[in-house]
Amino acid sequence: MARRCELTGKGPMSGNNVSHAKNRTKRRFLPNLNDVTLQSEILGRGVKFRISAAALRTVDHRGGLDAFFAKSKDADLSDRAQKIKKEITKAQQILT
């Protein structure tokens, strides 16, 4: 399982551990990933994602999963998230 957020594309970064004597050794900064089930009001069901804590706050800020997908770019989303976004947009078109 990749250490990458399915909604924002946030992944591991690299950097240095710096000791008191300024010795530097390589390290990795991993994203804070959580397994969550987000509810889609348009689809009427929950969708499981592995997303970062920052992405979860962004989804809440934008007003839910449906509103998040409306503003998100396809390049940032995983393949599975792109399929869910297409399902939501199809369901929106049917409702209107």
Side-chain angles (χ1 to χ4, degrees), residues 7 35-51 55-56 58-60 62-70 80 84-85 87-88 92:
L7 297 183
D35 293 317
V36 296
T37 303
L38 299 172
Q39 296 296 322
S40 172
E41 295 172 4
I42 294 173
L43 296 178
R45 63 181 171 97
V47 184
K48 284 189 176 185
F49 285 114
R50 188 159 192 235
I51 63 173
L56 184 58
T58 305
V59 169
D60 287 340
R62 289 190 181 171
L65 185 64
D66 304 329
F68 177 85
F69 278 139
R80 201 168 68 82
I84 301 294
K85 181 178 177 179
E87 284 181 36
I88 289 173
Q92 261 182 338

Side-chain angles (χ1 to χ4, degrees), residues 15-26:
N16 291 307
N17 280 329
V18 181
S19 71
H20 186 69
K22 301 284 199 300
N23 297 328
R24 288 171 169 82
T25 55
K26 280 291 184 187

